[in-house]
Each structure stands twice: as structure tokens, then as C-alpha cells.
Amino acid sequence: MTDETGETAGTNETDVTDVTRSVAPGTAAPRRLPVTDVSLVVLIGPSGAGKSSFARKHFLPTQVVSSDFCRGLVADDENDQSASAEAFDLLHYIVGKRLAAGRLTVVDATNVQPEARRRLVRIARDHDVLPIAVVLDVPPGVCAERNRSRPDRDLPAHVVPRQHRELRRSLRGLEREGFRKVHVLRGEAEVEAAEIVPEKRFNDLRHLTGPFDVVGDVHGCRSELESLLTRLGWTLLRDGAGRPVDAVHPEGRTAVFVGDLVDRGPDTPGVLRLVMGMVAAGHAVCVPGNHENKLGRAMDGRKVTVSHGLQESLDQLAGEPEEFRAEVRAFMRGLVSHYLLDGGALVVCHAGLPEKYHGRASGRVRSHALYGDTTGETDEYGLPVRYPWAEEYRGRALVVYGHTPVPSAAFLNNTICLDTGCVFGGSLTALRYPERELVAVEAEREWYAPVRPMRTDAPGAREGRPLDLADVAGRRAVETALAGRVAVREENAAAALEVMSRFAIDPRLLAYLPPTMAPSATSSRPGYLEHPDEAFAAYRADGVERVVCEEKHMGSRAVVLVARDGAALEERFGPAGPGAIWTRTGRAFLGDEALTAAVLERLRAAAERSGLFEELRTGWLLLDAELMPWSLKAVELLRRQYAAVGAAAGAALPEVLAALERAGGRGLDVAGLPGRQRRRAADAQAFTEAYRRYCWPTEGLAGIRLAPFQVLAAEGANLAVRPHDEHLAWTDRLAGADEADHPAAPLLRRTGRLVVDTADEASVAAGVAWWEELTAAGGEGMVVKPLASLVRGRAGEGRPGGLVQPGVKVRGREYLRIVYGPDYTEHLDRLRQRFLGHKRSLALREYALGLEALDRLAGGEPLWRVHEAVFAVLALESEPVDPRL
């Protein structure tokens, strides 16, 4: 087994070649046959040896694939030997499907011929599972007698002796054929006494649930490892010579080492002594790196190329006692390529591992876990170019690995590389799991000069990789931390691509799109379609006690990226000038670049004066806001739709009323028509007044108002998950700073708010009264949000990840005339039959995607990764839903 560099990956590791030969002739004592839980068990024996009976006794019916059964499927006769070729094609197909799904599979066939077994071993290898042979060596006479007693079985006399001879010729070569366990049962008594003992795979530690501290490549940096463990809260235990030989954590955490403990650094024996002690005490687990693999082979006296720091380890270990060196050799021989932890939600290996290899055992899996995969190319330093497997990873398990040094650790597609080049003068990094927190200590010095500079070479830190159509085209499933995989239909992706390619701003700047917002449940109160009672009741039912009611500004949703200076923004987003302002669909909000720059400058000055840049330690801010007036963006909508309705009603209804009055004066029976038309005229007037409240003329900055209500992100921080009272305090400071600088014409506007206790009737009544006051004064209404921001409740339909709605809007009675029409109050019974389930589901999915984009942005992931989640929000916006909701 050879890795891509030509170095042997090793053949004595327990998870690859655990070979046991169970041969105990002449005894009927109980025989325990270990069988790995995910493996291919091949029963071998002549016809009549009892293979089918053995399979029925020890395995589930669904686990057994019988050649006789497959022959019956294709020929309606299990004994039709002419159908054997087709039957075995079917058998191999079923076996492959089961192994691909990770199922224990048992093949019930004679399998006495090498070519029959060779095909099965190849299928096992193709699916990276262990092939296990169970041989039923029953005397030919017994087999012949059993066949004669079966009325459906008429075999020529020579068949069983021939099969028995073929079996005997095969016994000594089964291991060489590739079987990793060989169990030979001689005689009827041994077959009857056999007991199948299920055993877990060596890499299966799913029962360990953590919490874990996963440590990146140490490379002999013992002092830095001690510092990192101490910072993580571990207590080091030392021997009589003062050397660390173990470490314990007061909270019962388990350390996990991703390999490459050795080579290059100043104290490989010290690192091994500490890690080996932790593993022996049950305080840690460790997987091998390629450097352990090579050092172990060198210590065993095998021929290796001494390079990449191996000589330093050999020299350092030469000064240790032989007993310690023997312990090191045994430790490295026992290392398993990768581990499944926490129910399979966490996979730890050295060089990364695609999902199809998780929990599998083969030379191919071990080679990938130790060395990764390459493109076949070499870079300018003569080193192999790593294949960016993590860019394509879409697995559910978090894969934590090392191997390829990166300047800083960052999550990418639910993977993270922890090798931050400590031995090269970088840092030693650990991941706290499940917290997903990174902890690092700086290297004390550069211990070993790297062949190439530590640049953004590994997946997760390669900002040079451009945005690509393949990232967003077609049907996709975007992995989110909050809601799992969010599906994007191909037709929705196509619609989003049309918008993005023709109208949106530079996607490198498009770090966030706000989610749609669901309305509160429909009110049953007379005269109302929406009312705060339903919003408070819904959150109370979800266990959310404290909510904040925020004034809903009747403007247009705007996302603002503002920079303290251009250099700070360019470092993260590329050339961006002073920043950008965009709409919910990614379009530039203001067509006038000079006006956009003026708004951004006012916001920048306010952030500077208020100390927000300094407090958040950032050179840029991303904000969620409302930009007013509504007519600033929706002027064409006003002219074509709203103003036209008002003008038509104003022109037609007076004439209708006059005609009805004349008809009544002539004695015609007009019944209630005049009263109805007067109500229609009043409704039309109310409609016109409703939309006019949100429209006023502007000239330059004069008349424009910006109401930020959430600080979404800053350098290295997703702030959107912080409580809403913190956000409102920050935005109040921004508005206060702007008012101080421009008292006569402030640009920034505060957002009114009221905190309500949903379990307190008086507090709820105060919230209702506040909403009534806002709407009576012509306000649009309010948004009710959990004060804590991100809240999980009981999972249910339309509730991905158990998320609680991040906010619901409660719009005022008069404002809803704009949405549903001037006379909507006349049709409330019909309008109450609205269906909110799809809208609510859409809001939660878009919310999860938005936070995923911010997490990726804060984590320093490449912008194409951020854009993937943002684009999915835009795609979901094209899902059909009632636009009035």
C-alpha cells in the first residue's frame, strides 16, 4: 500500500490488517468468532456443509444474500444452474448496495473457487470494508448425505468431493487473497458450537460524546503543547524528573490529537511522553499522522527516506532508554487511521476524509487519512498540490484534521484544518467541541524553516479562489449550523442567478441578505386582521418570556456595509470604496454613487464618534436598517399602483355619488347604494392618506432617514446572535453621534422599542397599548422579536432545527389598506383564510442561511463560501408565496 509520494503507508496497523485465524481441530468447545459490525462475511464450504443453516442461526435474514435465492429471483428455480451467471450478477449487485449503505452483509454460496472469492473481496475493497471468511470444513460424506436427503437437490456424485478438494487447496491462501479475518470450523461439532461475536470497528468511538479538545499538529513543540493544554484548563501531571506524563481536565473533557506529534520540533520525546500518558490514562485519543507512520517504520528498521524533520526525531529518541523507545513503537503501531466520535457527528483524522470513507477500513482509507489526496501536480517548491476535498464536502459530520499548515483555522463546509504551523513559527491551535471555539497559543519561535511560506494553500483559507457559477447553479443543499441542510430548487436557483447576474451589486460585497418576515397569526378580533395578542401568545407558547417590540419604520429594508477606512474593507472584501448599501434582493439601493458615498460617510463618522469601531475592534461594520422615505426606492410602484388607485377613486366616486343622489331625487329606488359608495369613497381616501404618510420629497441627503436596528457583523464576529437590547443600544449611540454632529438635519434615526414579558398580563397590555398608539399616529406597526435574539423551541412542522421565529410583524389596521386594498375591512372573513405555514417555514430557512453566511464571514472563510449561503436566501425568495403576507 503506497501513498501518493511513494512512501509506504504501512501494513501492520490494526484497523487495516487485523488478521485472525480460528483453527482448533478436534474440539467441540464453544467457538467465539469475532465479526466486525460493518464487514462482508463470506461463507465458504461445499454444498451440504450447512452454510444456509449457519446463516439463519447467526444472522438476520436481511443480512444474508444467498446465491440460491438470487437464482430463484432470476429463474424461478433455485436449482437452475443455467441461471447461475445472472444470479451471481444480482448477488454482487445487492452486496455492493448493502456495503455502500454500511450494512453487515453475509454471502451464502459455496465460494470454494478462488475466482468466486476474488470478486467478493474486490467488492469489499471497493466499499472499504473488511472481508471476513467463515469456512465450514465438513467431511464430504456428511455433505453428500445431507444433499441426498433434500428432495429439491440432485447433484452428481462427483460435485461434493470436487468442491471439498477445492476448499482444502484454498485454506492456506485465504489471507493472501485479502481476507482480514479467517475463521475455520472443522467438523459438525465445531460448526454447531460456533458463536458469532459482533465487534465494533477500531475507528468506532461513537460512544464517546465529549466534550473534546481537538489539538492540531504539534511536531515536537512540547512547551507550546503544555501552554495550550493549560490555557484549555487542563492540569499537567509530572513524573519525578518534572516531565509532563499526563493531563486531566476538571470538567472531564477528552483531548483528541490529529497526528504529526513528531519531527521537526525541539522535543519529540517530550510530546510523545505526554500524549502517550494521556492516551493510556483514558484522557485522550490520538490518530496517526504521516510523520508517525514514517517514524514508526524507521524505528522498526525498515528502509525510509530520511527527510522532513525525521532525523531530528531519530536523534532525540536515540537519547531515550530502550524501554521508552519500545513503548513509542507499540504506541504508533496501535494508532487507528481516524475516529468517529459523538455518535458519528465528529470525525477526527490527520489529512481529512470524505464522507464515503467515514468509519470504513481499508488501505485506501488509511492512505487518505494520513496523506490526503493530490491533484498529481507539484507547486513551485516541488511539493504536491493537495486536492481541495473540503470544498466539495457536504457531510453531516464535522471533520477536524491537520496536515497542511494554514495561517489560521477556519470552518469550511463543516470541516476545519487545525494545523496552524506551530513548528514553523505560527501557532498551536485547538478546537473546543461541541462549542466550536478555537483556542491558540503562539509559537515560542520558528523551530523549523518551512519549505514554502505558510500561505493560503489549504481549503478553508484560500481567498484567491474566485466565485464560480458551479457554487450556485442547479439544485443545491446548503449546510447550515442551525437548520441542517437547506434545499434550493434548481428553478429557484435559476431565478436568483438571473437577478444576481443582471441587477445585484458585486457579489464579493454581498455578505448578507435579510430573511423574509412572517406576520403574526391572523386575529379574530372584529375589524382587525393582525393584532399583537397573537404575537405575544405565540412566543409565550414557545417558552419565550421576554420579547422586544420594535417600531416598524415604513421605509425599505437596507443592508449597509460601512468601512472605517478603505484598506480595512479591501482586506476582507476586495476593492469596495467606502462600502455599499443594498436591498433585500441584492440590488444597489441608491442609483446615485455620490449620494451613496454621502450616506456612508455620515454613518462612518457616527460610528467613529460613538466609539463603535474601537469597541468592536473592527475596521468595518455590517448593519441591518430601514431607509426612508418609502418613495426613495418605490417611486415607480407608487406612481403605477398606489397613486393610480387613489386617483381613479377620487375621480370616479364623486360622480357616482352625484348620479345616485340625482336618481334618488327623481324617486328611483337606489336602496343602500349611496351609503355603500360613501364608504368606498372614505376607504379610498384612507388608502391615499395611508401611503402618503410614507412619502416625502428628498434632495441629496435632505429628507433621507436611515434607521439602523441591528449590527450584524464586524471583523471576526457574527453579532447578529447577540441580544436585541445590545443592538438597539449600539444603534442609539450611532443616532446620538449623528445628531450631535448634525443637530439641524440628522440622518440617523432611533428605533422605538418596548420590552414585554409575555407571561405578565399587565406587560402584554402595555405592549398592545403601545402598538395602538403607534398605529393611531400613522405608524406601520411593530416587529416582535425574542429579546435574546437566537432562540430554539420545540421542533415541529415548518420549524427547521427547532428554531423559533426571529421576529413577527404586526401591522396596523390602516397600513394594511396599502397591502390588501382600500376596502379590505369589508372582506375580513375571507382574508382571514390565509395560510401562513409556508411563509413561516421560508422565514426560518432564510434566517438560518443568513446566520450561516455571517458565521462564515466571521470565521474568515472564503467569500465564495459566504456567497453560497447568501445566494440561497435570494433563491428562496423566488418560492411562490402570497406577497401580501
Side-chain angles (χ1 to χ4, degrees), residues 478-497:
V478 180
E479 192 74 34
T480 68
L482 292 177
R485 294 184 176 184
V486 177
V488 177
R489 297 190 182 101
E490 184 172 2
E491 58 269 28
N492 294 342
L497 189 59

PDB file of all heavy atoms in Angstrom, residues 478-497:
ATOM      1  N   VAL A 478     -27.582  23.537   0.974  1.00  0.00           N
ATOM      2  CA  VAL A 478     -26.594  24.326   1.705  1.00  0.00           C
ATOM      3  C   VAL A 478     -26.625  23.913   3.170  1.00  0.00           C
ATOM      4  O   VAL A 478     -27.679  23.938   3.812  1.00  0.00           O
ATOM      5  CB  VAL A 478     -26.869  25.836   1.569  1.00  0.00           C
ATOM      6  CG1 VAL A 478     -25.828  26.641   2.334  1.00  0.00           C
ATOM      7  CG2 VAL A 478     -26.887  26.231   0.091  1.00  0.00           C
ATOM      8  N   GLU A 479     -25.473  23.505   3.683  1.00  0.00           N
ATOM      9  CA  GLU A 479     -25.380  23.055   5.067  1.00  0.00           C
ATOM     10  C   GLU A 479     -25.355  24.260   6.001  1.00  0.00           C
ATOM     11  O   GLU A 479     -24.562  25.184   5.819  1.00  0.00           O
ATOM     12  CB  GLU A 479     -24.106  22.224   5.263  1.00  0.00           C
ATOM     13  CG  GLU A 479     -24.047  21.484   6.574  1.00  0.00           C
ATOM     14  CD  GLU A 479     -24.969  20.285   6.590  1.00  0.00           C
ATOM     15  OE1 GLU A 479     -25.138  19.645   5.533  1.00  0.00           O
ATOM     16  OE2 GLU A 479     -25.508  19.985   7.670  1.00  0.00           O
ATOM     17  N   THR A 480     -26.236  24.254   6.993  1.00  0.00           N
ATOM     18  CA  THR A 480     -26.279  25.334   7.979  1.00  0.00           C
ATOM     19  C   THR A 480     -26.133  24.742   9.369  1.00  0.00           C
ATOM     20  O   THR A 480     -26.558  23.613   9.636  1.00  0.00           O
ATOM     21  CB  THR A 480     -27.591  26.128   7.906  1.00  0.00           C
ATOM     22  OG1 THR A 480     -28.676  25.291   8.337  1.00  0.00           O
ATOM     23  CG2 THR A 480     -27.861  26.624   6.497  1.00  0.00           C
ATOM     24  N   ALA A 481     -25.537  25.518  10.266  1.00  0.00           N
ATOM     25  CA  ALA A 481     -25.368  25.057  11.638  1.00  0.00           C
ATOM     26  C   ALA A 481     -26.694  25.000  12.379  1.00  0.00           C
ATOM     27  O   ALA A 481     -26.865  24.202  13.294  1.00  0.00           O
ATOM     28  CB  ALA A 481     -24.394  25.981  12.373  1.00  0.00           C
ATOM     29  N   LEU A 482     -27.658  25.830  11.989  1.00  0.00           N
ATOM     30  CA  LEU A 482     -28.904  25.955  12.747  1.00  0.00           C
ATOM     31  C   LEU A 482     -30.033  25.075  12.226  1.00  0.00           C
ATOM     32  O   LEU A 482     -30.867  24.617  13.004  1.00  0.00           O
ATOM     33  CB  LEU A 482     -29.371  27.415  12.736  1.00  0.00           C
ATOM     34  CG  LEU A 482     -28.509  28.402  13.512  1.00  0.00           C
ATOM     35  CD1 LEU A 482     -29.056  29.802  13.347  1.00  0.00           C
ATOM     36  CD2 LEU A 482     -28.456  28.035  14.979  1.00  0.00           C
ATOM     37  N   ALA A 483     -30.076  24.847  10.947  1.00  0.00           N
ATOM     38  CA  ALA A 483     -31.224  24.131  10.370  1.00  0.00           C
ATOM     39  C   ALA A 483     -30.809  22.952   9.497  1.00  0.00           C
ATOM     40  O   ALA A 483     -31.609  22.477   8.697  1.00  0.00           O
ATOM     41  CB  ALA A 483     -32.080  25.093   9.565  1.00  0.00           C
ATOM     42  N   GLY A 484     -29.569  22.491   9.641  1.00  0.00           N
ATOM     43  CA  GLY A 484     -29.127  21.386   8.810  1.00  0.00           C
ATOM     44  C   GLY A 484     -29.038  21.793   7.350  1.00  0.00           C
ATOM     45  O   GLY A 484     -28.675  22.927   7.036  1.00  0.00           O
ATOM     46  N   ARG A 485     -29.388  20.883   6.473  1.00  0.00           N
ATOM     47  CA  ARG A 485     -29.307  21.163   5.040  1.00  0.00           C
ATOM     48  C   ARG A 485     -30.566  21.874   4.575  1.00  0.00           C
ATOM     49  O   ARG A 485     -31.670  21.385   4.783  1.00  0.00           O
ATOM     50  CB  ARG A 485     -29.121  19.870   4.249  1.00  0.00           C
ATOM     51  CG  ARG A 485     -27.788  19.196   4.511  1.00  0.00           C
ATOM     52  CD  ARG A 485     -27.607  17.980   3.636  1.00  0.00           C
ATOM     53  NE  ARG A 485     -26.278  17.401   3.835  1.00  0.00           N
ATOM     54  CZ  ARG A 485     -25.812  16.376   3.145  1.00  0.00           C
ATOM     55  NH1 ARG A 485     -26.553  15.819   2.214  1.00  0.00           N
ATOM     56  NH2 ARG A 485     -24.609  15.899   3.379  1.00  0.00           N
ATOM     57  N   VAL A 486     -30.372  23.014   3.946  1.00  0.00           N
ATOM     58  CA  VAL A 486     -31.481  23.772   3.371  1.00  0.00           C
ATOM     59  C   VAL A 486     -31.438  23.575   1.862  1.00  0.00           C
ATOM     60  O   VAL A 486     -30.455  23.918   1.206  1.00  0.00           O
ATOM     61  CB  VAL A 486     -31.390  25.263   3.730  1.00  0.00           C
ATOM     62  CG1 VAL A 486     -32.504  26.043   3.053  1.00  0.00           C
ATOM     63  CG2 VAL A 486     -31.441  25.450   5.241  1.00  0.00           C
ATOM     64  N   ALA A 487     -32.501  22.999   1.328  1.00  0.00           N
ATOM     65  CA  ALA A 487     -32.540  22.680  -0.094  1.00  0.00           C
ATOM     66  C   ALA A 487     -32.915  23.901  -0.918  1.00  0.00           C
ATOM     67  O   ALA A 487     -33.759  24.708  -0.517  1.00  0.00           O
ATOM     68  CB  ALA A 487     -33.533  21.555  -0.351  1.00  0.00           C
ATOM     69  N   VAL A 488     -32.283  24.028  -2.067  1.00  0.00           N
ATOM     70  CA  VAL A 488     -32.590  25.081  -3.036  1.00  0.00           C
ATOM     71  C   VAL A 488     -32.950  24.404  -4.346  1.00  0.00           C
ATOM     72  O   VAL A 488     -32.136  23.674  -4.921  1.00  0.00           O
ATOM     73  CB  VAL A 488     -31.393  26.031  -3.233  1.00  0.00           C
ATOM     74  CG1 VAL A 488     -31.716  27.082  -4.294  1.00  0.00           C
ATOM     75  CG2 VAL A 488     -31.013  26.706  -1.925  1.00  0.00           C
ATOM     76  N   ARG A 489     -34.164  24.622  -4.818  1.00  0.00           N
ATOM     77  CA  ARG A 489     -34.595  24.003  -6.069  1.00  0.00           C
ATOM     78  C   ARG A 489     -33.848  24.610  -7.258  1.00  0.00           C
ATOM     79  O   ARG A 489     -33.457  25.778  -7.233  1.00  0.00           O
ATOM     80  CB  ARG A 489     -36.100  24.189  -6.265  1.00  0.00           C
ATOM     81  CG  ARG A 489     -36.963  23.511  -5.216  1.00  0.00           C
ATOM     82  CD  ARG A 489     -38.427  23.561  -5.654  1.00  0.00           C
ATOM     83  NE  ARG A 489     -39.304  22.959  -4.666  1.00  0.00           N
ATOM     84  CZ  ARG A 489     -40.030  23.658  -3.802  1.00  0.00           C
ATOM     85  NH1 ARG A 489     -39.974  24.973  -3.814  1.00  0.00           N
ATOM     86  NH2 ARG A 489     -40.819  23.038  -2.942  1.00  0.00           N
ATOM     87  N   GLU A 490     -33.723  23.814  -8.295  1.00  0.00           N
ATOM     88  CA  GLU A 490     -32.996  24.280  -9.474  1.00  0.00           C
ATOM     89  C   GLU A 490     -33.667  25.492 -10.104  1.00  0.00           C
ATOM     90  O   GLU A 490     -32.997  26.442 -10.522  1.00  0.00           O
ATOM     91  CB  GLU A 490     -32.890  23.144 -10.489  1.00  0.00           C
ATOM     92  CG  GLU A 490     -32.063  23.505 -11.711  1.00  0.00           C
ATOM     93  CD  GLU A 490     -31.810  22.318 -12.614  1.00  0.00           C
ATOM     94  OE1 GLU A 490     -32.315  21.231 -12.313  1.00  0.00           O
ATOM     95  OE2 GLU A 490     -31.098  22.487 -13.623  1.00  0.00           O
ATOM     96  N   GLU A 491     -35.010  25.495 -10.167  1.00  0.00           N
ATOM     97  CA  GLU A 491     -35.696  26.624 -10.792  1.00  0.00           C
ATOM     98  C   GLU A 491     -35.550  27.894  -9.964  1.00  0.00           C
ATOM     99  O   GLU A 491     -35.480  29.006 -10.505  1.00  0.00           O
ATOM    100  CB  GLU A 491     -37.182  26.291 -11.012  1.00  0.00           C
ATOM    101  CG  GLU A 491     -37.949  25.926  -9.743  1.00  0.00           C
ATOM    102  CD  GLU A 491     -37.947  24.445  -9.442  1.00  0.00           C
ATOM    103  OE1 GLU A 491     -36.977  23.766  -9.853  1.00  0.00           O
ATOM    104  OE2 GLU A 491     -38.900  23.970  -8.799  1.00  0.00           O
ATOM    105  N   ASN A 492     -35.482  27.740  -8.638  1.00  0.00           N
ATOM    106  CA  ASN A 492     -35.275  28.914  -7.790  1.00  0.00           C
ATOM    107  C   ASN A 492     -33.859  29.449  -7.938  1.00  0.00           C
ATOM    108  O   ASN A 492     -33.631  30.659  -7.934  1.00  0.00           O
ATOM    109  CB  ASN A 492     -35.557  28.576  -6.326  1.00  0.00           C
ATOM    110  CG  ASN A 492     -37.018  28.245  -6.088  1.00  0.00           C
ATOM    111  OD1 ASN A 492     -37.872  28.577  -6.898  1.00  0.00           O
ATOM    112  ND2 ASN A 492     -37.308  27.576  -4.987  1.00  0.00           N
ATOM    113  N   ALA A 493     -32.900  28.526  -8.060  1.00  0.00           N
ATOM    114  CA  ALA A 493     -31.515  28.954  -8.282  1.00  0.00           C
ATOM    115  C   ALA A 493     -31.386  29.699  -9.599  1.00  0.00           C
ATOM    116  O   ALA A 493     -30.656  30.699  -9.710  1.00  0.00           O
ATOM    117  CB  ALA A 493     -30.589  27.746  -8.246  1.00  0.00           C
ATOM    118  N   ALA A 494     -32.112  29.246 -10.624  1.00  0.00           N
ATOM    119  CA  ALA A 494     -32.052  29.920 -11.924  1.00  0.00           C
ATOM    120  C   ALA A 494     -32.615  31.331 -11.822  1.00  0.00           C
ATOM    121  O   ALA A 494     -32.069  32.284 -12.399  1.00  0.00           O
ATOM    122  CB  ALA A 494     -32.828  29.108 -12.966  1.00  0.00           C
ATOM    123  N   ALA A 495     -33.720  31.493 -11.097  1.00  0.00           N
ATOM    124  CA  ALA A 495     -34.308  32.823 -10.935  1.00  0.00           C
ATOM    125  C   ALA A 495     -33.367  33.747 -10.179  1.00  0.00           C
ATOM    126  O   ALA A 495     -33.203  34.927 -10.523  1.00  0.00           O
ATOM    127  CB  ALA A 495     -35.645  32.706 -10.188  1.00  0.00           C
ATOM    128  N   ALA A 496     -32.719  33.210  -9.143  1.00  0.00           N
ATOM    129  CA  ALA A 496     -31.778  34.025  -8.375  1.00  0.00           C
ATOM    130  C   ALA A 496     -30.574  34.410  -9.220  1.00  0.00           C
ATOM    131  O   ALA A 496     -30.048  35.532  -9.118  1.00  0.00           O
ATOM    132  CB  ALA A 496     -31.334  33.263  -7.127  1.00  0.00           C
ATOM    133  N   LEU A 497     -30.124  33.473 -10.049  1.00  0.00           N
ATOM    134  CA  LEU A 497     -28.971  33.754 -10.904  1.00  0.00           C
ATOM    135  C   LEU A 497     -29.283  34.882 -11.881  1.00  0.00           C
ATOM    136  O   LEU A 497     -28.433  35.724 -12.183  1.00  0.00           O
ATOM    137  CB  LEU A 497     -28.572  32.487 -11.647  1.00  0.00           C
ATOM    138  CG  LEU A 497     -27.258  32.528 -12.416  1.00  0.00           C
ATOM    139  CD1 LEU A 497     -26.095  32.831 -11.485  1.00  0.00           C
ATOM    140  CD2 LEU A 497     -27.032  31.202 -13.127  1.00  0.00           C
TER     141      LEU A 497
END
